[in-house]
Amino acid sequence: MAATEGMGITVDGVEKHFGDFEALKGVSVAVPNGSLTALLGPSGSGKSTLLRVIAGLDQPDGGSVRIAGREVTGVTPQKRGVGFVFQHYAAFKHMTVARNVGFGLKIRKRPKEEIAAKVDELLRLVHLQGFAHRYPSELSGGQRQRMALARALAVEPEVLLLDEPFGALDATVRKELRTWLRRLHEDVHVTTIFVTHDQEEAMDVAEQIVVMNDGLIEQTGSPRDLYESPANAFVMGFVGEVNRIGENLVRPHDIEILLEPDGTSQEGQIERVAHLGFEVRVELVLDDGRRLAVQTTRQDAEERELEAGQIVYLRPDRERRFATA
Amino acid sequence: MRGDRRKRPARPGAPDSAHRVQRYGLRVAAVGYLAALLIVPVAIIFVRTFEDGLGPPIDAITSPEGRHAFWLTLVCVAVAVPLNTIFGVLAALVLVRQKFRGKAIVNTLIDLPFAISPVVIGLSLLLVYGIDGWIGGDLQEAGIKVIFSTPGMILATIFVSLPFVVRETMPVLQEVGNEQEQAASTLGASGWQTFWRITLPSIRWGVTYGVILATARALGEFGAVSVVSGRISGETETLPLFVEKQFANFDLAGAYAAAIVLALIALAVLLSMNLSRRKERSA
């Protein structure tokens, strides 16, 4: 049993089946109090199921869940003290924004003035003041999701769970909300888990990332840990781009391009030079026909006049080899 | 339809006029079909009713028999429709949200009243509740008379109007999904609170259509009710039965008058349905 001291959420050996499909194969995670954690993984990895098990929306077939030190495995979502935000907002369509946000408080039979004051405060927090009397159908996707967040925060939950909260939004709004979520977390400081399949989003927002694959946890750590010391080939490949050279994996920015051969370098021909702003991506073909990509700066590419068709020599650095790779 | 009036950019040549002919042709066909089969016959009833002035029709429907028939029809509707509404919402919830063995069979059974002729429904009720029926004799001994009495007619009405609320509610429930309900539960709502505050308000228009259609059907039911009623004048006669009897007795004025009352109620019900649809769209 994992230590629960100082832990907002402790998941221990959780299993979940859907028919023959094993969604979670014995998952254990500890999320520190007040932290912002990302569950990162490809679709079907079990990350959303894990979040739903924590919320009580799905019942695990084995294992236990503790929230703020309290055993909640058999407890209904109603009594767990969680705030849950759905990918598709789950807005109460027949209620105004104010009534959506105040729903949890109304259920708790709080006095009207208290509800009105709290709703007002939350709408200001999520920048929806002035939208109180609109219906969800009159809001944009980003506004609806902020309303859903305010609604979840209204009941002052022990933990906040967000299931692909920005998944249904377009790229610009997604980036905006990401930054905004991080700031909000600094203000509100509630233990938060959010599910995402976007590694950039996870690295940008989270303090701790839990990488999941195939119903299991591959690695837990800070964004930097995961990037610099991935536990296995899957994590290395999922949190950033990789090239495979023989048995080894190497990041595109860890390959140096030389114009003259040295003892250990490999020969390759530049196929394409793509200018992506500050960064330049050089795509190469090795003599054995394999392709790889190298990241370099614009300045470097210009100084050495790298161009398609050129023969260059590659020296990989910080290569990694994993037992199961 | 407002959409049809939108101006299209003029296209030169034959395709445009061919298109127009096609469009008007379809409209004429649709309206003509409705007129020949529905509008003209109903209009003729109105004309025939009042051709001898207001006296005869008013006499016919204000006779004790006429008033009783009207009253009995309302009783049947007032019992059958609320029961079918409660059943319909529950059945829709179970069929959409739960998985169980035999679900497909239950789903099919609900359509049975659509598929079976009302006369057969009436006969089957006789076989169960009639004096010589399955439990009818025992009920009779206990002092409960079902057949040739109001309970039997209510049962028949329930039977024929059963599918509407289920069928109108299920697709709405499916479309709404259960995320709103899950959200409500994480916010602390109990199952009961979630049903009243979230589920019911989100399916209300589906339920409303179902109720309206069931009401229209219950008002007009003839076959099944006729079989179980015994057609005792002033006792077990609903409006549709009354209309048919007047007609059979060559009391055409009475028949037409009662028919008009029935038609007006049905029309009001259908209009209210149209209004509620419009309200839904603007909501």
Side-chain angles (χ1 to χ4, degrees):
Chain A
M1 172 94 213
T4 58
E5 192 88 355
M7 287 300 156
I9 301 164
T10 316
V11 173
D12 204 47
V14 162
E15 291 167 27
K16 177 73 188 171
H17 312 263
F18 294 107
D20 289 338
F21 177 66
E22 275 185 282
L24 297 173
K25 303 172 179 170
V27 168
S28 301
V29 190
V31 174
N33 237 330
S35 72
L36 180 49
T37 297
L39 287 182
L40 175 67
S43 55
S45 60
K47 55 195 193 303
S48 281
T49 307
L50 179 57
L51 198 75
R52 292 175 59 85
V53 165
I54 294 170
L57 294 171
D58 280 332
Q59 280 302 315
D61 299 317
S64 70
V65 178
R66 297 173 82 84
I67 293 176
R70 184 166 71 106
E71 164 76 47
V72 294
T73 314
V75 176
T76 58
Q78 189 196 345
K79 300 201 166 96
R80 281 201 189 199
V82 300
F84 201 98
V85 174
F86 295 82
Q87 179 176 3
H88 298 287
Y89 329 121
F92 301 145
K93 295 195 180 98
H94 59 288
M95 293 184 194
T96 59
V97 170
R99 290 194 48 211
N100 262 277
V101 175
F103 182 82
L105 297 171
K106 199 169 178 196
I107 290 289
R108 284 166 176 72
K109 301 204 163 50
R110 297 284 170 78
K112 261 197 186 127
E113 308 76 55
E114 189 195 320
I115 297 179
K118 182 87 189 172
V119 166
D120 216 49
E121 180 199 323
L122 282 163
L123 288 183
R124 241 174 302 126
L125 183 71
V126 301
H127 306 302
L128 284 177
Q129 60 270 56
F131 289 87
H133 301 294
R134 300 253 191 121
Y135 281 89
S137 58
E138 299 167 307
L139 302 184
S140 71
Q143 290 169 332
R144 275 184 229 183
Q145 199 56 300
R146 280 183 281 149
M147 178 195 83
L149 204 53
R151 183 175 71 182
L153 288 171
V155 297
E156 294 174 2
E158 306 261 16
V159 300
L160 185 59
L161 307 171
L162 306 113
D163 188 4
E164 301 254 8
F166 314 132
L169 305 170
D170 62 58
T172 331
V173 181
R174 198 146 79 202
K175 279 207 167 141
E176 226 175 82
L177 276 188
R178 228 198 246 177
T179 315
W180 177 81
L181 174 68
R182 209 179 46 220
R183 291 210 190 107
L184 181 87
H185 182 258
E186 280 162 18
D187 290 346
V188 182
H189 244 86
V190 55
T191 311
T192 304
I193 300 185
F194 75 99
V195 160
T196 180
H197 60 262
D198 179 344
Q199 52 87 18
E200 195 192 318
E201 187 171 286
M203 305 249 260
D204 183 12
V205 179
E207 297 160 353
Q208 177 185 249
I209 299 178
V210 177
V211 182
M212 292 191 68
N213 181 33
D214 198 21
L216 288 168
I217 290 178
E218 299 281 358
Q219 190 175 3
T220 301
S222 71
R224 195 170 170 167
D225 281 349
L226 293 185
Y227 195 79
E228 292 184 353
S229 358
N232 54 43
F234 176 81
V235 175
M236 184 160 180
F238 202 73
V239 298
E241 209 183 330
V242 288
N243 290 300
R244 182 178 289 272
I245 300 179
E247 297 280 287
N248 294 343
L249 298 177
V250 61
R251 297 258 184 239
H253 52 72
D254 286 337
I255 298 176
E256 201 185 339
I257 297 179
L258 307 171
L259 297 178
E260 301 294 331
D262 75 354
T264 56
S265 62
Q266 271 188 292
E267 193 184 287
Q269 185 175 27
I270 297 180
E271 203 176 35
R272 181 169 170 257
V273 179
H275 292 266
L276 310 169
F278 171 74
E279 166 196 314
V280 169
R281 188 186 153 87
V282 183
E283 292 168 10
L284 304 112
V285 196
L286 300 183
D287 15 345
D288 58 6
R290 276 180 304 142
R291 278 155 211 275
L292 52 80
V294 173
Q295 255 174 324
T296 182
T297 62
R298 195 176 62 150
Q299 196 188 3
D300 177 59
E302 272 173 13
E303 273 173 10
R304 297 198 287 168
E305 296 173 340
L306 298 179
E307 57 182 24
Q310 199 176 346
I311 302 288
V312 292
Y313 303 90
L314 304 168
R315 192 169 61 196
D317 186 23
R318 286 194 275 182
E319 289 170 281
R320 284 170 205 285
R321 176 179 231 159
F322 298 99
T324 53
Chain B
M1 279 273 165
R2 207 177 299 155
D4 290 343
R5 296 226 179 113
R6 239 183 296 149
K7 284 253 163 73
R8 296 178 193 200
R11 263 177 295 155
D16 194 41
S17 61
H19 207 80
R20 197 179 304 155
V21 167
Q22 209 175 39
R23 230 165 356 127
Y24 283 111
L26 274 175
R27 250 181 257 179
V28 167
V31 174
Y33 187 84
L34 270 180
L37 290 165
L38 286 174
I39 302 170
V40 169
V42 174
I44 286 177
I45 287 188
F46 275 82
V47 173
R48 294 296 286 276
T49 308
F50 299 110
E51 67 189 355
D52 297 323
L54 287 175
I58 288 179
D59 286 348
I61 50 174
T62 53
S63 70
E65 281 175 28
R67 276 184 300 174
H68 186 269
F70 183 68
W71 170 246
L72 192 58
T73 299
L74 290 188
V75 168
C76 286
V77 171
V79 178
V81 173
L83 282 179
N84 277 340
T85 305
I86 296 168
F87 166 80
V89 172
L90 287 179
L93 276 170
V94 169
L95 286 170
V96 172
R97 293 288 157 78
Q98 292 181 14
K99 278 185 192 160
F100 56 93
R101 222 175 256 263
K103 181 164 148 176
I105 297 172
V106 176
N107 208 349
T108 312
L109 280 180
I110 284 173
D111 281 336
L112 213 57
F114 281 154
I116 300 181
S117 159
V119 177
V120 177
I121 292 170
L123 285 174
S124 66
L125 286 174
L126 268 186
L127 288 175
V128 176
Y129 299 102
I131 282 283
D132 302 320
W134 184 40
I135 57 170
D138 300 336
L139 285 174
Q140 184 88 320
E141 273 169 39
I144 303 166
K145 196 176 170 203
V146 177
I147 298 302
F148 304 146
S149 168
T150 314
M153 301 166 72
I154 290 174
L155 276 176
T157 310
I158 290 175
F159 204 131
V160 298
S161 61
L162 180 133
F164 295 96
V165 175
V166 192
R167 286 289 165 252
E168 289 294 321
T169 305
M170 276 177 69
V172 184
L173 209 48
Q174 220 132 30
E175 199 199 304
V176 171
N178 58 1
E179 277 203 345
Q180 291 186 48
E181 292 167 9
Q182 292 179 355
S185 75
T186 62
L187 291 167
S190 66
W192 193 242
Q193 284 169 323
T194 304
F195 175 76
W196 284 108
R197 288 167 188 267
I198 305 298
T199 314
L200 203 55
S202 26
I203 58 173
R204 65 197 187 279
W205 295 118
V207 177
T208 308
Y209 302 155
V211 167
I212 289 166
L213 290 174
T215 306
R217 181 79 174 87
L219 276 173
E221 175 50 23
F222 179 82
V225 168
S226 165
V227 173
V228 297
S229 72
R231 315 193 63 167
I232 308 161
S233 198
E235 255 181 63
T236 62
E237 213 169 49
T238 58
L239 263 185
L241 301 187
F242 179 73
V243 170
E244 201 264 350
K245 188 192 72 182
Q246 300 291 85
F247 185 76
N249 293 346
F250 302 104
D251 178 3
L252 295 185
Y256 293 146
I260 277 187
V261 172
L262 203 55
L264 284 179
I265 300 174
L267 217 64
V269 168
L270 288 177
L271 273 179
S272 66
M273 171 153 161
N274 246 321
L275 285 179
S276 70
R277 265 188 210 274
R278 204 162 300 164
K279 201 169 159 198
E280 183 204 6
R281 240 175 267 139
S282 66

PDB file of all heavy atoms in Angstrom, chain A residues 298-309:
ATOM      1  N   ARG A 298      18.075  27.949 -37.061  1.00  0.00           N
ATOM      2  CA  ARG A 298      18.064  28.590 -38.351  1.00  0.00           C
ATOM      3  C   ARG A 298      19.448  29.141 -38.676  1.00  0.00           C
ATOM      4  O   ARG A 298      19.955  29.011 -39.780  1.00  0.00           O
ATOM      5  CB  ARG A 298      17.045  29.738 -38.314  1.00  0.00           C
ATOM      6  CG  ARG A 298      16.693  30.249 -39.676  1.00  0.00           C
ATOM      7  CD  ARG A 298      15.638  31.294 -39.564  1.00  0.00           C
ATOM      8  NE  ARG A 298      16.140  32.417 -38.779  1.00  0.00           N
ATOM      9  CZ  ARG A 298      15.734  33.683 -38.953  1.00  0.00           C
ATOM     10  NH1 ARG A 298      14.813  33.943 -39.837  1.00  0.00           N
ATOM     11  NH2 ARG A 298      16.218  34.645 -38.223  1.00  0.00           N
ATOM     12  N   GLN A 299      20.071  29.706 -37.631  1.00  0.00           N
ATOM     13  CA  GLN A 299      21.393  30.299 -37.815  1.00  0.00           C
ATOM     14  C   GLN A 299      22.390  29.249 -38.293  1.00  0.00           C
ATOM     15  O   GLN A 299      23.121  29.453 -39.259  1.00  0.00           O
ATOM     16  CB  GLN A 299      21.838  30.906 -36.490  1.00  0.00           C
ATOM     17  CG  GLN A 299      22.990  31.855 -36.650  1.00  0.00           C
ATOM     18  CD  GLN A 299      23.533  32.296 -35.293  1.00  0.00           C
ATOM     19  OE1 GLN A 299      23.063  31.821 -34.256  1.00  0.00           O
ATOM     20  NE2 GLN A 299      24.507  33.173 -35.313  1.00  0.00           N
ATOM     21  N   ASP A 300      22.363  28.090 -37.633  1.00  0.00           N
ATOM     22  CA  ASP A 300      23.286  27.011 -37.980  1.00  0.00           C
ATOM     23  C   ASP A 300      23.068  26.545 -39.418  1.00  0.00           C
ATOM     24  O   ASP A 300      24.025  26.380 -40.177  1.00  0.00           O
ATOM     25  CB  ASP A 300      23.066  25.851 -37.005  1.00  0.00           C
ATOM     26  CG  ASP A 300      23.928  24.652 -37.338  1.00  0.00           C
ATOM     27  OD1 ASP A 300      25.162  24.800 -37.358  1.00  0.00           O
ATOM     28  OD2 ASP A 300      23.355  23.571 -37.632  1.00  0.00           O
ATOM     29  N   ALA A 301      21.807  26.375 -39.785  1.00  0.00           N
ATOM     30  CA  ALA A 301      21.498  25.900 -41.134  1.00  0.00           C
ATOM     31  C   ALA A 301      21.942  26.900 -42.186  1.00  0.00           C
ATOM     32  O   ALA A 301      22.432  26.528 -43.251  1.00  0.00           O
ATOM     33  CB  ALA A 301      20.000  25.636 -41.257  1.00  0.00           C
ATOM     34  N   GLU A 302      21.826  28.191 -41.861  1.00  0.00           N
ATOM     35  CA  GLU A 302      22.199  29.216 -42.832  1.00  0.00           C
ATOM     36  C   GLU A 302      23.708  29.359 -42.953  1.00  0.00           C
ATOM     37  O   GLU A 302      24.244  29.452 -44.051  1.00  0.00           O
ATOM     38  CB  GLU A 302      21.569  30.553 -42.435  1.00  0.00           C
ATOM     39  CG  GLU A 302      20.183  30.696 -43.024  1.00  0.00           C
ATOM     40  CD  GLU A 302      19.450  31.925 -42.520  1.00  0.00           C
ATOM     41  OE1 GLU A 302      20.097  32.806 -41.901  1.00  0.00           O
ATOM     42  OE2 GLU A 302      18.221  31.984 -42.731  1.00  0.00           O
ATOM     43  N   GLU A 303      24.370  29.314 -41.805  1.00  0.00           N
ATOM     44  CA  GLU A 303      25.832  29.465 -41.822  1.00  0.00           C
ATOM     45  C   GLU A 303      26.492  28.376 -42.634  1.00  0.00           C
ATOM     46  O   GLU A 303      27.462  28.602 -43.345  1.00  0.00           O
ATOM     47  CB  GLU A 303      26.384  29.435 -40.394  1.00  0.00           C
ATOM     48  CG  GLU A 303      26.377  30.813 -39.748  1.00  0.00           C
ATOM     49  CD  GLU A 303      26.765  30.752 -38.276  1.00  0.00           C
ATOM     50  OE1 GLU A 303      27.216  29.659 -37.830  1.00  0.00           O
ATOM     51  OE2 GLU A 303      26.602  31.771 -37.586  1.00  0.00           O
ATOM     52  N   ARG A 304      25.955  27.163 -42.495  1.00  0.00           N
ATOM     53  CA  ARG A 304      26.598  26.044 -43.190  1.00  0.00           C
ATOM     54  C   ARG A 304      25.923  25.728 -44.528  1.00  0.00           C
ATOM     55  O   ARG A 304      26.259  24.761 -45.178  1.00  0.00           O
ATOM     56  CB  ARG A 304      26.617  24.842 -42.267  1.00  0.00           C
ATOM     57  CG  ARG A 304      27.476  25.168 -41.022  1.00  0.00           C
ATOM     58  CD  ARG A 304      27.891  23.974 -40.295  1.00  0.00           C
ATOM     59  NE  ARG A 304      26.769  23.393 -39.584  1.00  0.00           N
ATOM     60  CZ  ARG A 304      26.802  22.199 -39.042  1.00  0.00           C
ATOM     61  NH1 ARG A 304      27.869  21.435 -39.190  1.00  0.00           N
ATOM     62  NH2 ARG A 304      25.776  21.748 -38.388  1.00  0.00           N
ATOM     63  N   GLU A 305      24.956  26.569 -44.880  1.00  0.00           N
ATOM     64  CA  GLU A 305      24.286  26.461 -46.184  1.00  0.00           C
ATOM     65  C   GLU A 305      23.771  25.055 -46.459  1.00  0.00           C
ATOM     66  O   GLU A 305      24.029  24.474 -47.510  1.00  0.00           O
ATOM     67  CB  GLU A 305      25.214  26.925 -47.311  1.00  0.00           C
ATOM     68  CG  GLU A 305      25.564  28.392 -47.171  1.00  0.00           C
ATOM     69  CD  GLU A 305      26.614  28.835 -48.165  1.00  0.00           C
ATOM     70  OE1 GLU A 305      27.337  27.948 -48.682  1.00  0.00           O
ATOM     71  OE2 GLU A 305      26.718  30.040 -48.420  1.00  0.00           O
ATOM     72  N   LEU A 306      23.086  24.491 -45.468  1.00  0.00           N
ATOM     73  CA  LEU A 306      22.534  23.146 -45.655  1.00  0.00           C
ATOM     74  C   LEU A 306      21.431  23.204 -46.705  1.00  0.00           C
ATOM     75  O   LEU A 306      20.588  24.110 -46.684  1.00  0.00           O
ATOM     76  CB  LEU A 306      21.950  22.628 -44.329  1.00  0.00           C
ATOM     77  CG  LEU A 306      22.939  22.477 -43.176  1.00  0.00           C
ATOM     78  CD1 LEU A 306      22.229  21.996 -41.927  1.00  0.00           C
ATOM     79  CD2 LEU A 306      24.083  21.539 -43.552  1.00  0.00           C
ATOM     80  N   GLU A 307      21.458  22.273 -47.640  1.00  0.00           N
ATOM     81  CA  GLU A 307      20.389  22.250 -48.646  1.00  0.00           C
ATOM     82  C   GLU A 307      20.177  20.836 -49.159  1.00  0.00           C
ATOM     83  O   GLU A 307      21.047  19.964 -49.012  1.00  0.00           O
ATOM     84  CB  GLU A 307      20.721  23.204 -49.794  1.00  0.00           C
ATOM     85  CG  GLU A 307      22.040  22.890 -50.457  1.00  0.00           C
ATOM     86  CD  GLU A 307      22.375  23.875 -51.558  1.00  0.00           C
ATOM     87  OE1 GLU A 307      21.877  25.004 -51.528  1.00  0.00           O
ATOM     88  OE2 GLU A 307      23.130  23.487 -52.463  1.00  0.00           O
ATOM     89  N   ALA A 308      19.035  20.643 -49.786  1.00  0.00           N
ATOM     90  CA  ALA A 308      18.673  19.311 -50.262  1.00  0.00           C
ATOM     91  C   ALA A 308      19.713  18.805 -51.257  1.00  0.00           C
ATOM     92  O   ALA A 308      20.252  19.577 -52.054  1.00  0.00           O
ATOM     93  CB  ALA A 308      17.299  19.360 -50.911  1.00  0.00           C
ATOM     94  N   GLY A 309      20.023  17.512 -51.197  1.00  0.00           N
ATOM     95  CA  GLY A 309      20.968  16.906 -52.118  1.00  0.00           C
ATOM     96  C   GLY A 309      22.387  16.811 -51.572  1.00  0.00           C
ATOM     97  O   GLY A 309      23.184  15.981 -52.019  1.00  0.00           O
TER      98      GLY A 309
END
